[in-house]
């Protein structure tokens, strides 16, 4: 009961704008809980009252977040993540407001190493174009701004792996996954970083790498040549992964996406030994144990691909 009373009191403090001048003090407190509370209040203020703030006040909010992140390197992960989320929202809203002309470019040029946490959040937390709190045209402009920096992000990814060989942090992989899922990368860009992912080693990164590759499978290819190159990159990775002690559900997720997105290539190349081996693996995975109960099987994950492959076989090789 006491805990609920305290929680309601804290929520009342967060909603009361007269308390917001205390946010800088809370963020610099020596207590993690107080820092986190201040970061939450800051994010609420940005999301709720941004349009009512003067430009100078908006700039002060941006500088406050930047200074805390820079001057307090020992912030807890929870506080740092909340502040970075707030900074990403400021970047979007300041760009839409018009006074921060190139926030993503400024971020990419701010240091020797890209901040993949922020980059991942830029694509992952972007407001939807039909958001009720934003002008649709302005949000579309922000989406265009994100995509306009796709080449720079690809270059940062390649540079990172050149300097930090075999370094596959979650932030790094989330950046690739979120920007791919957002639609920022075309296949010619993806092709530059595919070898970095398919060469990844270690059980601790395999599941995250597979999540990235599933998103990459869904990147639209312009023609059969690009589809062929995508399949030639990913089929060996799937076959290599199958020889390891990996959860079959993870492997099925990737092979099902690849089979569905490269079905035309698989049918046209059905006499290729590697393709036949891949289809044999896919057939085996269709009967793998499921995750929803003892009677469920991962065949549900492969169903769409099998339907598509069947239709293409019937079309290309009519009886």
């Amino acid at each position: 009961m006491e805990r609920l009373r305290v929680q309601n009191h804290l929520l009342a403090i967060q909603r009361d704008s007269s308390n917001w001048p205390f946010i800088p003090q809370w963020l610099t407190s020596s207590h993690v809980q107080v820092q986190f509370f201040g970061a939450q209040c800051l994010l609420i203020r940005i999301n709720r009252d941004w349009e009512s703030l003067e430009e100078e006040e908006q700039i002060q909010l941006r500088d406050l977040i930047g200074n805390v992140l820079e001057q307090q390197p020992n912030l807890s992960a929870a506080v740092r993540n909340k502040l970075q989320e707030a900074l990403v929202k400021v970047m979007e809203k300041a760009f839409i407001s018009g006074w921060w002309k190139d926030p993503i470019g400024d971020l990419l040029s701010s240091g020797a190493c890209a901040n993949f946490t922020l980059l991942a959040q830029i694509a992952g937390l972007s407001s939807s174009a039909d958001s009720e709190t934003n002008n649709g045209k302005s949000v579309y402009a922000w989406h265009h701004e994100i995509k306009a920096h796709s080449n720079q992000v690809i270059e940062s990814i390649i540079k990172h792996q050149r300097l930090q060989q075999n370094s596959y942090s979650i932030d790094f992989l989330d950046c690739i996954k979120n920007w791919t899922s957002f639609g920022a990368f075309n296949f010619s860009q993806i092709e530059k970083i595919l070898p970095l992912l398919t060469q990844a080693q270690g059980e601790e990164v395999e599941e995250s790498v597979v999540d990235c590759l599933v998103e990459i499978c869904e990147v639209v290819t312009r023609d059969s040549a690009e589809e062929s190159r995508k399949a030639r990159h990913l089929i060996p990775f799937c076959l290599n992964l199958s020889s390891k002690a990996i959860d079959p559900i993870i492997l099925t997720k990737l092979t099902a996406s690849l089979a569905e997105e490269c079905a035309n290539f698989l049918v046209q190349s059905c006499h290729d030994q590697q393709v036949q081996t891949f289809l044999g693996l896919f057939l085996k995975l269709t009967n793998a144990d499921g995750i929803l109960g003892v009677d469920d099987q991962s065949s549900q994950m492969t169903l769409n691909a099998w339907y598509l492959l069947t239709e293409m076989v019937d079309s290309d090789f009519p009886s």
Side-chain angles (χ1 to χ4, degrees):
M1 198 69 177
E2 177 66 15
R3 183 176 181 179
L4 181 61
R5 186 188 68 79
V6 171
Q7 184 178 7
N8 289 334
H9 180 63
L10 291 174
L11 288 174
I13 293 175
Q14 284 183 330
R15 289 192 294 266
D16 187 351
S17 59
S18 66
N19 294 312
W20 287 347
F22 297 107
I23 289 177
Q25 298 177 38
W26 295 334
L27 290 175
T28 55
S29 168
S30 59
H31 299 284
V32 173
Q33 294 87 345
V34 177
Q35 292 174 351
F36 188 79
F37 180 76
Q40 281 186 312
C41 291
L42 185 63
L43 189 57
I44 290 171
R45 188 180 189 194
I46 292 166
N47 285 327
R48 194 180 77 178
D49 292 337
W50 181 265
E51 285 75 16
S52 65
L53 299 176
E54 297 292 334
E55 182 177 314
E56 182 179 353
E57 294 176 298
Q58 295 174 352
I59 294 173
Q60 288 173 351
L61 283 178
R62 179 197 64 180
D63 293 344
L64 170 63
I65 300 169
N67 289 336
V68 173
L69 287 171
E70 182 179 349
Q71 296 172 10
Q72 295 184 242
N74 296 322
L75 289 170
S76 71
V79 174
R80 182 168 295 276
N81 286 340
K82 187 63 68 174
L83 286 173
Q84 288 175 328
E85 181 182 347
L87 181 56
V88 166
K89 296 310 295 184
V90 168
M91 293 170 73
E92 176 183 333
K93 291 178 178 293
F95 176 81
I96 291 173
S97 297
W99 60 261
W100 199 351
K101 302 300 182 183
D102 189 15
I104 302 176
D106 291 345
L107 172 64
L108 288 167
S109 62
S110 62
C113 295
N115 187 322
F116 289 109
T117 302
L118 284 174
L119 287 174
Q121 290 181 332
I122 285 170
L125 297 177
S126 176
S127 300
S128 60
D130 58 356
S131 172
E132 294 180 0
T133 59
N134 287 282
N135 177 278
K137 183 177 180 181
S138 297
V139 176
Y140 276 122
W142 175 241
H143 289 185
H144 177 77
E145 179 72 2
I146 293 174
K147 293 178 181 180
H149 287 84
S150 58
N151 280 328
Q152 288 175 272
V153 173
I154 290 289
E155 291 171 4
S156 294
I157 291 168
I158 294 171
K159 180 180 179 181
H160 170 81
Q161 285 304 92
R162 191 182 301 128
L163 297 173
Q164 308 283 337
Q165 292 186 3
N166 299 320
S167 174
Y168 295 88
S169 68
I170 297 301
D171 293 339
F172 173 75
L173 294 171
D174 280 348
C175 174
I176 297 175
K177 182 176 69 174
N178 289 355
W179 279 69
T180 303
S181 176
F182 186 82
F185 299 149
N186 58 42
F187 182 72
S188 63
Q189 293 171 316
I190 287 292
E191 202 166 12
K192 296 177 181 178
I193 61 173
L194 258 177
L196 303 179
L197 296 173
T198 55
Q199 293 168 11
Q201 300 290 330
E203 293 181 10
E204 67 278 2
V205 301
E206 282 173 349
E207 185 171 353
S208 297
V209 168
V210 167
D211 285 340
C212 285
L213 293 176
V214 168
E215 293 293 343
I216 285 172
C217 280
E218 298 177 4
V219 173
V220 175
T221 49
R222 292 176 299 179
D223 51 37
S224 59
E226 284 194 347
E227 182 181 326
S228 173
R229 296 201 302 275
K230 180 197 290 186
R232 291 297 185 191
H233 274 295
L234 295 177
I235 286 176
F237 179 80
C238 291
L239 297 178
N240 181 55
L241 207 59
S242 68
S243 65
K244 302 179 180 180
I246 188 170
D247 185 343
I249 295 300
I250 296 173
L251 184 56
T252 304
K253 186 195 306 184
L254 177 58
T255 55
S257 295
L258 180 57
E260 189 171 348
E261 297 301 326
C262 297
N264 182 63
F265 167 81
L266 295 175
V267 171
Q268 295 297 325
S269 306
C270 61
H271 298 298
D272 182 280
Q273 181 61 51
Q274 194 174 62
V275 170
Q276 291 180 2
T277 305
F278 173 80
L279 290 172
L281 169 64
F282 193 43
L283 186 61
K284 178 182 178 181
L285 289 169
T286 298
N287 199 36
D289 292 336
I291 55 175
L292 300 179
V294 293
D295 295 326
D296 293 306
Q297 295 177 319
S298 60
S299 56
Q300 293 177 333
M301 299 170 66
T302 66
L303 193 59
N304 287 341
W306 282 123
Y307 275 132
L308 188 56
L309 287 167
T310 300
E311 289 178 4
M312 289 192 169
V313 169
D314 290 342
S315 173
D316 290 355
F317 304 102
S319 56

